[in-house]
Amino acid sequence: MMKLAKFLFSVFSLVGATSMAMAQNYPSRPVSLIVPYPAGGVSDVIARIVSPALSKKLGEAVIVENIGGASGGIAAQKVLNSAPDGYLVLQGSPNELILGPLANSAIKFKSEDFKLVQMIGSAQIAFLVRSDMPVKDVDSFLAYAKKSAQEGKPLSYASVGPGSFYHLLGEQLSKETKIPMTHVPYKGAGPALQDLIGGQIDFFLAPYGKSHDELAKQGRIKLLAMLNAKRLEGVKEYPAITESKGLKGFTYSIWTGYFVKKETPQAIMQTLNKALGEVLEDPAVKSGLDANSLLIAKPLSLNELNKVYGDGTAQFRAIAKSINLQPQ
């Protein structure tokens, strides 16, 4: 028995020493930044703004890898299937890590399987409709949606997958206005936007990016409002949703952060936390995120981030419960 105890102690000591050495040498090779959607959406834009600055801070290349599907669940699972060594970092949000497991029965992980190592910011939500829709603002949109539904042609709205935040927004909009609407899921915001431009779908409550402003100015889509409580810098020409009569309280945004497996050594999480905190202060990163109207986060400690993630999990689970979201 004593020999077994000594053997186990030696094994655990060796594992501990190996983990400590790995943490001290981290990173010693390129780090992959996993984006849970195809290229072309706001998530991809954020990653490509952050990755060069993060590479400088870590002293190793940071490679952006786009993996779409299952509302971000495929990308998240890839991170969970990897070693907890900090070489796969997920750029995630409540969309993939909190709502995904509630909506998709094929997703087996829980929100608590990940640790948040730094926030990056909050995306504003834009109310986008196809260019040929005969509406000029949110209230005329609601009137048009009601008439279409009464004629047996409910308007269609895009999301980045069943149970995604944008799916919930569409469901909530339908519930609040009592207007039937049809959900059309996509693998990412990029493909959804292409179909909106092509007129295959009617509207998309989407994370705002500068490309939306350019498309609206070109007349390829209409941007009716931002789901903000007031007009914010950079998007002041577009009404806040509170300026409408029919959707005054429909204000929403969604945050994005960087995650690793919960078993990742504390020293590696601290390295990422510090590097990403410094990235948030980088002038090129700040201007790039600001140009895309992302509300930049304040760097937080790991303890503060644990609370932010816990509170966010409770909040988004409550939203899912309010529309009776069921796993499919």
Side-chain angles (χ1 to χ4, degrees):
M1 193 70 179
M2 185 66 72
K3 285 182 179 178
L4 177 61
K6 284 182 178 177
F7 172 74
L8 290 175
F9 178 76
S10 299
V11 169
F12 289 133
S13 297
L14 181 61
V15 169
T18 303
S19 296
M20 191 174 294
M22 279 173 56
Q24 286 173 345
N25 294 328
Y26 175 84
S28 59
R29 55 187 169 86
V31 173
S32 289
L33 181 54
I34 308 297
V35 178
Y37 302 105
V42 176
S43 295
D44 182 57
V45 171
I46 292 169
R48 292 179 194 283
I49 290 169
V50 168
S51 57
L54 182 58
S55 177
K56 281 184 191 175
K57 297 297 177 185
L58 292 176
E60 287 287 346
V62 174
I63 300 160
V64 176
E65 188 176 347
N66 299 83
I67 305 174
S71 296
I74 294 174
Q77 193 61 57
K78 176 167 182 173
V79 174
L80 288 183
N81 290 346
S82 69
D85 54 13
Y87 285 99
L88 262 64
V89 177
L90 180 69
Q91 182 179 286
S93 73
N95 209 36
E96 305 81 40
L97 302 185
I98 302 172
L99 297 175
L102 299 178
N104 190 336
S105 57
I107 293 175
K108 303 303 181 187
F109 63 76
K110 304 188 297 293
S111 311
E112 292 79 7
D113 292 334
F114 294 87
K115 288 283 188 181
L116 177 60
V117 292
Q118 196 57 267
M119 296 285 280
I120 189 70
S122 297
Q124 302 177 68
I125 307 299
F127 201 129
L128 310 174
V129 304
R130 56 181 168 80
S131 62
D132 62 346
M133 189 180 290
V135 302
K136 60 179 175 29
D137 54 29
V138 169
D139 291 316
S140 59
F141 167 86
L142 294 177
Y144 178 74
K146 185 176 182 180
K147 182 173 180 288
S148 295
Q150 288 170 342
E151 293 171 352
K153 297 178 287 187
L155 297 189
S156 59
Y157 67 91
S159 81
V160 296
S164 65
F165 181 53
Y166 315 105
H167 176 201
L168 265 66
L169 285 178
E171 287 291 317
Q172 191 72 5
L173 178 64
S174 177
K175 181 183 173 184
E176 283 193 22
T177 59
K178 298 182 173 58
I179 301 171
M181 297 172 180
T182 302
H183 174 223
V184 181
Y186 289 83
K187 285 188 175 181
L193 187 60
Q194 285 304 311
D195 272 8
L196 183 69
I197 294 167
Q200 280 83 35
I201 53 165
D202 294 309
F203 73 103
F204 186 19
L205 301 174
Y208 176 78
K210 203 66 180 171
S211 62
H212 298 142
D213 178 61
E214 293 162 5
L215 289 167
K217 284 181 167 58
Q218 293 165 8
R220 298 173 71 191
I221 61 171
K222 289 181 181 178
L223 201 165
L224 300 184
M226 304 294 292
L227 303 193
N228 296 332
K230 61 181 182 179
R231 296 197 187 204
L232 299 180
E233 287 297 330
V235 289
K236 279 196 169 177
E237 62 194 284
Y238 299 113
I241 196 72
T242 49
E243 295 174 43
S244 69
K245 292 178 182 176
L247 285 172
K248 277 187 176 296
F250 203 73
T251 56
Y252 292 96
S253 64
I254 189 166
W255 51 261
T256 297
Y258 292 95
F259 294 83
V260 292
K261 283 179 73 168
K262 68 177 181 181
E263 297 87 359
T264 304
Q266 187 77 3
I268 289 175
M269 288 196 286
Q270 288 284 9
T271 297
L272 285 167
N273 173 265
K274 182 174 182 291
L276 285 163
E278 291 171 356
V279 163
L280 287 170
E281 303 295 339
D282 184 288
V285 171
K286 288 172 89 167
S287 65
L289 296 177
D290 187 59
N292 283 276
S293 295
L294 197 81
L295 307 177
I296 302 168
K298 174 188 171 188
L300 297 174
S301 69
L302 289 174
N303 283 339
E304 290 170 319
L305 290 161
N306 279 339
K307 184 175 188 315
V308 166
Y309 188 37
D311 290 348
T313 300
Q315 178 193 28
F316 281 90
R317 283 176 178 168
I319 294 172
K321 187 177 180 181
S322 75
I323 66 160
N324 195 30
L325 180 68
Q326 298 294 324
Q328 312 221 338

